[in-house]
Amino acid sequence: MKAILFSIGTRGDIEPFLAIAQFLNEKNWDVICVFPEQFRAEVENMGFLFEGFSKEYLELMDGKAARSFMSGEGSLFTRIGYLIKIARNGKRLVKDILNLQHDTQKREKPDRVLYHPKCNYSLLWGMANPGKSILVSPIPGVVHPIKHLTILGNYGKTLNLLSVWLGNVLKATILKYYSKKYRQSYQGLKVTVSSIKKTMLEKEKTFYAVSNSLFPKPKYWPLTAHVIGYYERDKALNWQPDIKLINFLDKHEKIVFITFGSMSNLNPKEKTRIIINVLNKNKIPAIINISWGGLEQPNVFPDHIYFVDNIPYDWIFSRMYAIVHHGGAGTTHTALKYSCPSLIIPHILDQFFWNKINSNLNLGPKGIPIKKLNEIHFENKLLDLMNNDSYKINSQIISEQMRTESNKDKLYELIVN
């Protein structure tokens, strides 16, 4: 059996697919991963075949417009302007993405295609090959509407449902437009906005790779939509910690880990200064991950703070008391998997959704958007995170529940049947 996995985005978009790739490989499937070129070495080191989307996609997401948007800078109209600029610059990349998807599917003739919502050209291939394509999303509500919430917030049932309906119409319209050049490969297939939308909502098998404890499947969703639980590969398999890190962990207790993951912003030096000042004032030991540049390591900092730039979360989170992070789906789930309460500093999109879920379930205080981060607000929230025992207790309960949710045998049945 052969599977192609398509995903575009940063770490949180790729990790669910790597976990599935590892799982299928254990079942003796041939796996081809088609991700941004930046992930080539990592995928090939895992032993999988790799096809690369252009590096320009992630480089575009690190440009000034993208960083301004993620920082929440300016008014709503200003941020919409940033999005338009990003979309304009990405128009050529979309054509390259579609070409690579089409050519790979046509050449490899896979038994299954699993694809990220940003790679939804595979929906068209699935319409021509019923039952062989599966949408895999790291966040809920990208296709199937949620009455009580959207990834951007709760605007009431009517607007929540309308926003998803409009999003699906837009996606179907764009897919119909961009798929024209490939129609000769799907002769006889009815490709209309209506048929695409109907397939998305009612026919296409969809996996939401999230925890049922955080987001139970709504009863009004179709049978084709599944909340499959959170799956994570072993990222620490060939990784060894620095002796200085080991000494730091031995020296300190109740450590908080701070990361903005793949998020960047216009002023990482100032955001880091705010965080260090609060940590120093309250003598809270912390490990700060500078990762993709959302935070920066200064020349001088207290000895109860340790900086890293590349560390497996599944290794370090098991040794932490709590996590301060951007609210990506993967980081949110991994923190809870290791019983860590979270303070979320949301930057964009679904991060506000996870911030809402996290605070509603009393797994941490309601977080502060990145653009409103200041010393007073951050200190109040951080002290609440570290001193409110209910957050830790509730996180431990969720952790226990998550261990029973991710059933690989059941997932495999869903993939093959």
Side-chain angles (χ1 to χ4, degrees):
M1 300 283 277
K2 179 189 296 184
I4 303 177
L5 279 56
F6 292 108
S7 186
I8 295 178
T10 54
R11 175 66 60 183
D13 299 295
I14 303 301
E15 282 298 337
F17 288 85
L18 288 176
I20 291 173
Q22 200 170 56
F23 167 58
L24 290 177
N25 185 57
E26 292 168 2
K27 298 287 187 179
N28 296 314
W29 283 52
D30 294 324
V31 179
I32 302 170
C33 294
V34 187
F35 304 153
E37 190 65 38
Q38 285 89 337
F39 294 95
R40 176 181 289 277
E42 187 169 359
V43 171
E44 291 182 341
N45 285 340
M46 292 176 68
F48 303 128
L49 294 175
F50 182 87
E51 294 276 354
F53 292 122
S54 171
K55 283 187 175 183
E56 292 180 65
Y57 180 86
L58 291 189
E59 289 168 354
L60 174 65
M61 297 311 296
D62 195 40
K64 184 177 180 180
R67 284 188 281 115
S68 298
F69 179 73
M70 286 187 277
S71 300
E73 300 290 334
S75 66
L76 174 62
F77 292 107
T78 301
R79 294 197 298 275
I80 290 173
Y82 292 143
L83 276 180
I84 292 172
K85 184 175 182 180
I86 294 167
R88 188 183 298 121
N89 291 338
K91 190 174 181 180
R92 175 182 56 80
L93 296 178
V94 169
K95 294 179 181 178
D96 293 342
I97 288 166
L98 293 178
N99 284 335
L100 183 55
Q101 278 190 261
H102 176 79
D103 293 345
T104 306
Q105 288 169 168
K106 187 176 181 180
R107 180 183 70 247
E108 297 294 339
K109 298 179 175 57
D111 299 286
R112 292 292 182 275
V113 168
L114 293 90
Y115 65 96
H116 188 278
K118 294 174 189 169
C119 299
N120 71 348
Y121 170 71
S122 290
L123 177 73
L124 185 65
W125 183 86
M127 291 170 68
N129 298 272
K132 290 190 173 185
S133 63
I134 303 170
L135 173 66
V136 180
S137 175
I139 56 174
V142 295
V143 173
H144 300 93
I146 306 169
K147 293 179 181 178
H148 65 282
L149 202 58
T150 72
I151 62 171
L152 297 176
N154 183 5
Y155 304 102
K157 176 181 174 181
T158 301
L159 287 179
N160 289 346
L161 297 178
L162 179 62
S163 66
V164 178
W165 180 84
L166 286 172
N168 286 337
V169 170
L170 181 61
K171 285 183 285 188
T173 302
I174 293 172
L175 182 54
K176 178 177 180 290
Y177 172 78
Y178 277 108
S179 67
K180 286 180 181 178
K181 67 177 288 187
Y182 310 108
R183 294 285 171 80
Q184 70 275 9
S185 297
Y186 307 109
Q187 292 182 10
L189 183 67
K190 182 181 180 182
V191 180
T192 64
V193 170
S194 178
S195 66
I196 293 172
K197 193 157 71 72
K198 185 177 179 66
T199 299
M200 283 193 297
L201 283 168
E202 301 175 16
K203 298 180 180 180
E204 185 79 327
K205 191 178 291 183
T206 303
F207 292 169
Y208 292 104
V210 302
S211 166
N212 281 276
S213 299
L214 300 183
F215 182 82
K217 176 183 172 179
K219 294 180 180 178
Y220 48 86
W221 277 10
L223 293 175
T224 52
H226 305 270
V227 177
I228 62 172
Y230 177 63
Y231 291 84
E232 184 182 39
R233 67 189 175 101
D234 183 359
K235 296 184 284 294
L237 191 61
N238 297 310
W239 185 85
Q240 292 295 323
D242 187 291
I243 187 62
K244 292 181 180 179
L245 175 59
I246 295 296
N247 291 339
F248 182 88
L249 294 171
D250 289 341
K251 182 178 179 181
H252 298 284
E253 296 181 355
K254 207 173 180 181
I255 305 170
V256 60
F257 187 86
I258 301 174
T259 179
F260 289 163
S262 303
M263 296 296 102
S264 56
N265 59 77
L266 288 177
N267 199 346
K269 185 175 293 186
E270 172 62 14
K271 307 303 181 189
T272 308
R273 185 194 66 78
I274 290 169
I275 290 169
I276 289 178
N277 284 351
V278 171
L279 293 171
N280 196 30
K281 177 182 176 182
N282 295 280
K283 303 305 177 191
I284 297 173
I287 295 176
I288 299 177
N289 180 29
I290 60 177
S291 191
W292 286 31
L295 297 168
E296 290 185 1
Q297 180 175 337
N299 293 326
V300 179
F301 52 89
D303 61 6
H304 60 86
I305 297 174
Y306 191 92
F307 280 86
V308 296
D309 62 4
N310 183 22
I311 191 167
Y313 285 179
D314 51 340
W315 188 89
I316 194 65
F317 281 16
S318 64
R319 294 160 171 81
M320 296 294 101
Y321 176 83
I323 315 296
V324 175
H325 60 96
H326 56 297
T331 310
T332 300
H333 280 80
T334 305
L336 289 169
K337 179 179 177 180
Y338 294 101
S339 305
C340 295
S342 289
L343 168 59
I344 293 177
I345 311 295
H347 291 55
I348 57 171
L349 300 175
D350 65 299
Q351 295 165 14
F352 292 91
F353 173 92
W354 293 116
N355 186 29
K356 182 83 170 177
I357 295 288
N358 192 68
S359 62
N360 283 352
L361 294 176
N362 202 35
L363 302 168
K366 188 171 183 181
I368 320 153
I370 183 66
K371 70 175 182 179
K372 295 183 179 180
L373 185 68
N374 60 49
E375 287 189 33
I376 294 174
H377 289 157
F378 182 65
E379 182 175 26
N380 289 338
K381 298 291 185 179
L382 182 61
L383 291 177
D384 186 20
L385 175 72
M386 302 301 288
N387 297 323
N388 188 331
D389 292 339
S390 67
Y391 298 146
K392 190 69 172 180
I393 292 168
N394 292 334
S395 297
Q396 289 168 341
I397 293 170
I398 292 289
S399 177
E400 289 295 325
Q401 294 172 353
M402 286 177 66
R403 290 176 191 174
T404 65
E405 291 174 352
S406 303
N407 187 315
K408 288 187 175 182
D409 291 335
K410 183 178 179 181
L411 176 61
Y412 189 68
E413 286 298 316
L414 287 174
I415 291 173
V416 299
N417 293 329

